[in-house]
Amino acid sequence: MAFERLFLGIALTSSSLTAAGLSAVESEPKANPIAVFQAKDQRLQNVGWKLVRGNAEICENPIAAIGLQLQDMAVFGDPELARRAIGIKGSFAVQTAAQGSPAALSGAFTPNREITRIASQDPNAWPAKPSEDWRRLTRSHDTIDAVLADQGSIAFGFANGETIEIASVSACATRFELATNNSKAVAEGARVIVGERFVGFAYPDEVFAGAVAHELAHNLLGHRVWLDRNKRKRRNIRLTEREADRLMPWLMANAGYDPQSAVIFMETWGPKHDGGLFRGRTHDGWDERAEFIAAEIPRIKELMEATGKADWSVHFRREIDPNKGL
């Protein structure tokens, strides 16, 4: 789960959703590849939202957020076929609204509902290449973030003429993205990216949350910037991985998950997937990692009982000096 192995994949592309696959969407709903992808994305967004909301009072520089993720037909290999498959005329639609988020609680953002306006702008009018262009989708989310940062709320328009204004709440500044044709989970500073074939999707949500929390921990602790300054030596990577492991249960406890689920994740995932990492010495062995995680839990429970939150900004012991290399 080392975050330096970044891969790009912020939405479905033709590599995973071919013309033949899209044709199957139209003729065989049970085999709908868009729905399968969206279901996994929904799980990722639900878990990610709980983590960034639950830790919003603790993380540095939280942002205004509504928990909405859009999709743009320009990302597909055949945008017109994709439009027909999900039933829209334009290019933008709802991908997910994270459970418990302002977007979800509004009831307006159902999957594949067509979007015609974001604040004062029509995203369909933004330029894009004919296909496989993810830049406009990134622009849409950047626009939402900018408007929320400035105004605290944002209006959306739908294809049926309805409009809605959504007020934001505070969340830690990380986006969660599902990538096609990959089985890794990585963090790259501002995003947590999980491959659609990641084994954690087979686990219960509270265990899957351990993997997401590990990657989020890399972002919240500034590991990418620190490694850029201090070099990606094996020892340095191992220390950042150990920190991310140990912060997992803190993040999970604040999100309402049992912190013990972080241990369960490592004990479930590690025996089959952590051997090569251990031999490379960029990570501790999975059994050691589980022990490091478990050692954090008594202090977390003590803080939760006393204050109602596990304030890792104050009580978490760092493995690295965050100011080293400045």
Side-chain angles (χ1 to χ4, degrees):
M1 293 187 290
F3 71 87
E4 66 271 13
R5 295 177 299 180
L6 174 64
F7 59 90
L8 186 62
I10 67 169
L12 280 169
T13 65
S14 60
S15 62
S16 67
L17 197 57
T18 62
L22 280 168
S23 297
V25 172
E26 298 173 320
S27 61
E28 189 179 352
K30 290 183 179 180
N32 186 334
I34 295 178
V36 171
F37 189 91
Q38 282 181 317
K40 288 187 175 182
D41 203 358
Q42 186 71 58
R43 285 191 68 196
L44 173 60
Q45 301 305 322
N46 291 348
V47 168
W49 180 257
K50 288 186 68 173
L51 290 167
V52 294
R53 274 293 289 149
N55 289 277
E57 295 182 11
I58 303 171
C59 59
E60 293 184 5
N61 304 315
I63 62 170
I66 59 173
L68 177 66
Q69 189 181 39
L70 301 179
Q71 55 178 316
D72 178 11
M73 300 303 101
V75 171
F76 290 89
D78 189 333
E80 185 54 41
L81 196 56
R83 288 187 186 92
R84 295 202 306 269
I86 68 172
I88 66 173
K89 294 182 179 179
S91 291
F92 277 83
V94 175
Q95 171 76 352
T96 63
Q99 186 177 24
S101 70
L105 293 174
S106 75
F109 296 94
T110 54
N112 301 326
R113 188 177 187 188
E114 187 170 356
I115 298 286
T116 56
R117 297 204 72 78
I118 300 174
S120 61
Q121 303 184 55
D122 177 4
N124 298 281
W126 297 340
K129 294 189 297 184
S131 64
E132 298 186 3
D133 188 350
W134 51 265
R135 292 172 297 176
R136 190 167 65 174
L137 182 59
T138 298
R139 179 178 175 179
S140 72
H141 291 123
D142 289 344
T143 298
I144 293 170
D145 286 350
V147 173
L148 290 175
D150 182 55
Q151 302 177 13
S153 65
I154 186 169
F156 291 88
F158 300 98
N160 65 355
E162 293 182 11
T163 61
I164 188 171
E165 181 94 9
I166 299 292
S168 64
V169 294
S170 181
C172 298
T174 285
R175 292 178 184 174
F176 299 90
E177 296 170 0
L178 185 65
T180 59
N181 292 326
N182 207 295
S183 60
K184 305 295 184 182
V186 297
E188 58 87 56
R191 298 181 294 168
V192 167
I193 308 172
V194 179
E196 62 177 332
R197 296 200 300 265
F198 178 58
V199 67
F201 281 112
Y203 305 158
D205 278 356
E206 62 269 21
V207 178
F208 172 55
V212 182
H214 174 95
E215 302 305 336
L216 176 60
H218 280 307
N219 289 351
L220 298 183
L221 295 173
H223 285 161
R224 186 182 188 190
V225 172
W226 188 86
L227 286 171
D228 285 345
R229 293 199 311 259
N230 295 283
K231 299 182 180 181
R232 285 174 167 75
K233 301 175 183 178
R234 287 183 178 181
R235 179 181 181 276
N236 286 347
I237 294 173
R238 187 164 66 252
L239 290 176
T240 59
E241 291 298 329
R242 190 180 299 164
E243 271 199 343
D245 285 341
R246 291 177 44 242
L247 191 61
M248 288 164 61
W250 294 75
L251 301 180
M252 294 172 70
N254 289 324
Y257 295 110
D258 183 347
Q260 184 65 30
S261 294
V263 179
I264 295 172
F265 168 76
M266 190 58 65
E267 291 176 340
T268 304
W269 175 84
K272 293 183 178 179
H273 303 282
D274 200 33
L277 298 176
F278 173 68
R279 286 192 295 272
R281 297 310 300 166
T282 56
H283 296 61
D284 298 302
W286 70 265
D287 50 347
E288 295 173 295
R289 298 175 74 179
E291 291 176 2
F292 290 140
I293 295 168
E296 301 293 319
I297 294 177
R299 181 57 171 152
I300 292 169
K301 290 184 175 180
E302 177 184 334
L303 289 168
M304 294 295 292
E305 291 174 3
T307 67
K309 63 180 179 180
D311 190 343
W312 44 269
S313 68
V314 174
H315 301 286
F316 181 73
R317 178 182 58 80
R318 299 295 301 262
E319 300 282 342
I320 63 174
D321 177 359
N323 297 314
K324 182 181 177 182
L326 289 176

